[in-house]
Amino acid sequence: MVVSNTLSFGSGRVLFDYDTNAPIAFVSDVNPRRRYLIDPQLLWHSSGHYWGTGHVVTSLGSFRWCAPEKKIMKRDAQTLTFALDDAGLELEVERCGGADRLAERYTWRNVSGQRLVIRDLGVQTPFNDCYPSRGRALRESVNAHVFAGGAWSWVMAEPMNGSGADHDPILGLIVREGAVNAYSIESRDENTYSNIRGHIVLQVTDRARNAEAFGGQPELALEPDESYTLAWELGWYGSRKEFLEDTNPRAEFSTMCATVGDAITVRSDDPIIVDDSAVQVDSIADKAADGESVILTATKPGVYRVRIGSSADASTTEVLFHRSLRDQARERASYLLRYQRAKGRPGSLAYAFVPVDTRTGLRTEASGWADWGDGSERDAMAIFLQKAVNAGWFADNETSTANGSELPIPSTQEAQQAVDEWAQFAKEHLLDENASTRRDSAYPDDTFGDRIYDLPWMAEFFLDHYQASGDLGDLDLAARILERISELGGQRFLAISYAEVSERAVRELVAAGQESEANRLRQHVIDSANYFTALGTDLPDHEVAYEQSMVAPLVNLLISAYRFTSEEKYLSAIEERLHWLLSFSGPQPDSRLQDIAIRHWDGYWFGIRRQYGDVFPHYWSALTATVLARLPEPLRSTETDRMALNIMRANMANYGEDGSATCAFVFPSSVDGRPAHQADPLANDQDWHLAIWLRLIADEHFPEV
């Protein structure tokens, strides 16, 4: 790779590849070390994925463009011409710098001499959303927040250390002409695994591969010599607020998620259209806006596509109307007891909770695939049920009429019996004599090794079971499991929920008169917080080199240490790392995306379809909500409270009205050519969301909706 020339814009510049004339780096003069685009030296990042390359499928044929046929280079401008012969098109790419913004203009002209239809059209934008280890992600990488909203579309590439941190700018892309109706992902497979999000492709349309994605993908008909233009601007921004104001929002939503029976208010100068009879759109007088707004209400739960404007430059997004938390939790509990117990197994193995194919009601067999086993993340089902029992959410002789059929809601006794039986299963098949956990009962010799992630979850279950049983044996077991974490080196590991569960255990132990054990657990948390504070950005690798579900436990650890000690040093540490955490969560005006942390591997590990790609919303996004709900008062605000509740609401999209669920909604229109933008049929590990919400209600006085 040799750099040919540069174009300046704002406080930075773009570097071009000598052979293809494609942008290979956007460099900020403020921080030249930040890589906004994937490093062209990486073997999996070929020239066919460089910025501005792409693909097209038409009624005449298909083509991938890379190297131009002609090029004109000037001081502040570049013009490239590509012959897309097999597709019947010619592409002209114009780039103009020398000002605050870099303007890019892509024009596809029909040179076939006959009418053609474009059915797939994507432009590569390889933002560096990757996780190198040992602090490099924080120093070098970006979180790319994509909003494919038609004419209202943008991408915000935010440094992973947070917006505005050390004046490290956001690189923003804003569509000014044409439309981005979807985005796809390429290079997501067993080679790139979980530390690489892949190549992001902005799709004018992805109809050839997934016609129904994002509410429906258009066809673009071009007569001879007619053209289609997609134009956008790129610029440097000092904050999210500055960037979002420049996107020229087409509508303002009071919220993206609401309970059925409540309303969502939309302010816009354009017509608001929802093509679903379950949603009513009503105009109302809006004194604040000095005009009219509309309110959206729904008669049944679901994710609904909203169209903003009725012309060819319409924009789209989606809103969620969900059942109340209590109603959805009770439906979910009913489904768990009917379909997700391992009935037919011998003895107490039948008391396990396991994944189920929601298409058939048939439970899966793990067959050595740890993320389909009957331990680890599946513990969430038992924890959720016990918390719902403890909250008093079940009663006798109640039924549900979801989907027009009457289904019994579990009684308190029925739900508690199932949880008691799961406790027996866990003691006999998941726990060993050292209070370590196995990932799956089928591997008693701990084939998968000591997995520290699993230990706080098991401790949480027995703390909840202790609340129901009053048996000090449950409390002692929970304490022994937490001690085992330290024996295994867990103080140098960022285990999900470790800090919160330890806090709870300390309270219960103190109440039970076991002060010395409470003090030991308290000190373990403080020692761990001090260890990670001293590391700074140099975080050790976990199952993924760097991810939101490392940073959230880190911040929760510091919050617990602050609660235990009231030492001011933890406040500044929390504040810095809060920027890291919130960088994962985008501000897109979409119910599946807004405030939801980026995660892009769980469809492969946990789903039936074994598909990589962005999962929105993913239940571990609730970890960000736990941090926001637990923030010390000096760091809390109405905005952090709003975000926390919105994250929990957004995850309600993962449950069916009948209590079924999905472990992964793979969001892009396609991933490596395979259709996506669909829910995986497997109900697996998503119940952590409900378990966490119930924990927040009990421990942090969090809202129930």
Side-chain angles (χ1 to χ4, degrees):
M1 181 274 299
V2 179
V3 175
S4 62
N5 67 330
T6 68
L7 287 179
S8 64
F9 66 102
S11 59
R13 59 198 184 279
V14 56
L15 311 183
F16 295 94
D17 175 58
Y18 180 83
D19 293 323
T20 65
N21 295 102
I24 53 172
F26 292 105
V27 180
S28 162
D29 294 338
V30 176
N31 180 11
R33 292 183 60 187
R34 179 74 58 190
R35 292 186 178 274
Y36 292 86
L37 298 186
I38 296 170
D39 185 351
Q41 302 294 335
L42 295 173
L43 293 177
W44 58 273
H45 181 44
S46 63
S47 60
H49 287 108
Y50 284 178
W51 183 279
T53 62
H55 70 274
V56 64
V57 176
T58 75
S59 53
L60 301 181
S62 58
F63 200 89
R64 280 189 179 267
W65 68 88
C66 181
E69 300 288 323
K70 303 175 186 177
K71 59 183 179 180
I72 300 174
M73 308 298 294
K74 298 180 180 179
R75 178 180 178 183
D76 292 320
Q78 175 197 69
T79 302
L80 308 176
T81 303
F82 300 81
L84 316 183
D85 296 331
D86 294 345
L89 296 169
E90 180 182 82
L91 167 62
E92 183 177 82
V93 179
E94 301 168 276
R95 296 187 174 96
C96 184
D100 285 344
R101 304 286 182 260
L102 173 69
E104 290 195 328
R105 189 176 185 86
Y106 298 79
T107 301
W108 294 267
R109 185 167 63 90
N110 180 359
V111 295
S112 70
Q114 58 183 299
R115 184 179 187 272
L116 62 78
V117 177
I118 297 176
R119 294 173 177 150
D120 195 311
L121 180 56
V123 179
Q124 298 276 341
T125 54
F127 291 103
N128 187 34
D129 201 331
C130 303
Y131 300 141
S133 61
R134 288 290 176 182
R136 286 183 55 207
L138 285 161
R139 294 189 296 270
E140 299 175 9
S141 301
V142 296
N143 287 308
H145 302 297
V146 183
F147 178 53
W152 178 24
S153 294
W154 46 261
V155 184
M156 188 181 80
E158 183 174 35
M160 285 193 181
N161 63 347
S163 178
D166 300 322
H167 308 288
D168 212 350
I170 290 168
L171 176 64
L173 178 157
I174 303 171
V175 171
R176 299 302 190 190
E177 183 179 350
V180 172
N181 292 296
Y183 77 94
S184 64
I185 297 289
E186 295 183 353
S187 310
R188 285 300 280 124
D189 51 34
E190 290 79 1
N191 180 47
T192 51
Y193 270 111
S194 299
N195 287 319
I196 293 165
R197 188 175 177 186
H199 292 106
I200 296 172
V201 186
L202 300 185
Q203 299 279 161
V204 174
T205 181
D206 204 1
R207 186 178 181 87
R209 297 181 296 190
N210 193 350
E212 302 304 317
F214 289 76
Q217 294 294 292
E219 287 187 334
L220 307 176
L222 297 181
E223 299 297 333
D225 207 40
E226 191 177 4
S227 62
Y228 178 85
T229 296
L230 175 66
W232 58 52
E233 292 179 341
L234 291 132
W236 307 104
Y237 297 87
S239 68
R240 287 187 173 193
K241 182 176 184 291
E242 180 186 345
F243 170 73
L244 292 173
E245 287 175 349
D246 201 27
T247 63
N248 188 27
R250 297 286 296 270
E252 179 184 341
F253 292 77
S254 60
T255 183
M256 305 309 300
C257 308
T259 308
V260 172
D262 293 338
I264 296 174
T265 303
V266 188
R267 293 177 179 172
S268 178
D269 294 332
D270 298 305
I272 303 298
I273 302 165
V274 181
D275 294 322
D276 194 302
S277 60
V279 176
Q280 186 168 336
V281 182
D282 295 304
S283 297
I284 58 169
D286 190 338
K287 294 181 180 179
D290 193 24
E292 281 194 345
S293 295
V294 301
I295 58 170
L296 308 179
T297 53
T299 58
K300 64 179 183 179
V303 176
Y304 297 99
R305 181 62 50 172
V306 178
R307 192 162 76 251
I308 305 159
S310 55
S311 62
D313 65 345
S315 303
T316 65
T317 188
E318 55 192 355
V319 296
L320 167 68
F321 286 95
H322 59 81
R323 307 186 77 188
S324 71
L325 172 60
R326 191 171 305 206
D327 284 349
Q328 189 63 74
R330 283 147 52 100
E331 293 290 352
R332 183 72 189 122
S334 178
Y335 192 95
L336 287 178
L337 296 184
R338 293 184 68 202
Y339 294 107
Q340 296 198 239
R341 301 194 79 195
K343 300 172 185 176
R345 286 181 175 183
S348 60
L349 288 170
Y351 302 151
F353 288 105
V354 293
V356 66
D357 185 339
T358 58
R359 298 169 298 184
T360 62
L362 186 66
R363 63 178 174 84
T364 61
E365 286 293 338
S367 302
W369 192 264
D371 293 314
W372 281 14
D374 56 17
S376 294
E377 283 81 357
R378 268 59 54 197
D379 296 355
M381 291 180 257
I383 294 171
F384 152 59
L385 272 178
Q386 184 66 80
K387 288 182 184 294
V389 171
N390 292 351
W393 281 11
F394 301 117
D396 295 334
N397 302 318
E398 287 196 59
T399 60
S400 163
T401 56
N403 292 337
S405 61
E406 291 194 0
L407 301 174
I409 297 297
S411 66
T412 301
Q413 182 179 358
E414 181 184 5
Q416 186 61 58
Q417 180 179 343
V419 175
D420 291 344
E421 290 172 345
W422 190 88
Q424 180 185 345
F425 157 75
K427 290 176 181 178
E428 293 180 3
H429 300 286
L430 296 181
L431 283 163
D432 67 15
E433 64 278 5
N434 298 314
S436 285
T437 56
R438 303 183 180 99
R439 295 197 68 182
D440 190 322
S441 65
Y443 295 90
D445 294 328
D446 205 13
T447 302
F448 299 112
D450 287 312
R451 188 177 188 246
I452 296 176
Y453 278 120
D454 298 0
L455 290 161
W457 305 338
M458 191 66 74
E460 180 169 19
F461 170 78
F462 281 104
L463 284 173
D464 291 332
H465 200 251
Y466 168 64
Q467 181 179 340
S469 69
D471 183 351
L472 284 173
D474 286 334
L475 178 60
D476 292 342
L477 179 54
R480 280 200 293 124
I481 293 169
L482 291 171
E483 285 284 5
R484 183 61 176 158
I485 293 174
S486 295
E487 293 169 7
L488 294 171
Q491 289 165 284
R492 300 187 174 193
F493 186 88
L494 295 168
I496 293 168
S497 300
Y498 167 66
E500 304 96 298
V501 174
S502 294
E503 271 193 52
R504 166 88 178 282
V506 167
R507 292 196 302 269
E508 298 288 2
L509 288 165
V510 169
Q514 300 184 37
E515 292 279 354
S516 60
E517 179 59 27
N519 289 336
R520 280 199 300 274
L521 294 183
R522 184 186 294 113
Q523 191 60 48
H524 291 330
V525 169
I526 295 168
D527 290 345
S528 183
N530 291 339
Y531 170 76
F532 280 105
T533 301
L535 286 182
T537 62
D538 194 24
L539 300 177
D541 290 8
H542 286 53
E543 289 185 348
V544 179
Y546 180 72
E547 55 174 318
Q548 172 257 1
S549 53
M550 286 169 55
V551 182
L554 170 61
V555 183
N556 270 322
L557 185 67
L558 298 171
I559 291 171
S560 292
Y562 177 73
R563 288 180 169 186
F564 283 147
T565 66
S566 300
E567 292 184 19
E568 292 293 317
K569 67 178 182 180
Y570 294 116
L571 277 179
S572 58
I574 292 166
E575 185 172 17
E576 178 186 8
R577 288 153 184 81
L578 185 62
H579 288 297
W580 306 354
L581 178 63
L582 296 184
S583 175
F584 287 101
S585 299
Q588 301 98 311
D590 183 297
S591 61
R592 289 190 178 275
L593 302 177
Q594 190 177 74
D595 304 320
I596 300 300
I598 295 168
R599 196 170 172 105
H600 44 76
W601 53 87
D602 294 277
Y604 176 81
W605 295 106
F606 293 92
I608 283 178
R609 293 196 174 104
R610 293 276 192 264
Q611 190 168 25
Y612 279 113
D614 303 349
V615 175
F616 293 123
H618 189 271
Y619 66 84
W620 281 143
S621 62
L623 297 178
T624 298
T626 67
V627 168
L628 298 174
R630 286 164 40 81
L631 281 176
E633 281 302 320
L635 301 178
R636 289 187 70 159
S637 67
T638 55
E639 177 61 9
T640 59
D641 288 347
R642 181 206 64 78
M643 288 181 66
L645 184 57
N646 189 63
I647 291 166
M648 304 309 287
R649 282 182 176 273
N651 274 274
M652 297 291 268
N654 288 333
Y655 307 104
E657 189 178 2
D658 63 348
S660 61
T662 176
C663 65
F665 187 95
V666 182
F667 191 82
S669 55
S670 57
V671 179
D672 282 332
R674 297 169 58 199
H677 204 75
Q678 59 187 338
D680 194 279
L682 200 65
N684 188 339
D685 53 333
Q686 67 292 313
D687 296 295
W688 281 113
H689 160 251
L690 293 175
I692 288 171
W693 200 336
L694 279 158
R695 182 208 300 158
L696 289 176
I697 291 171
D699 293 353
E700 312 296 337
H701 309 292
F702 194 77
E704 175 192 340
V705 299

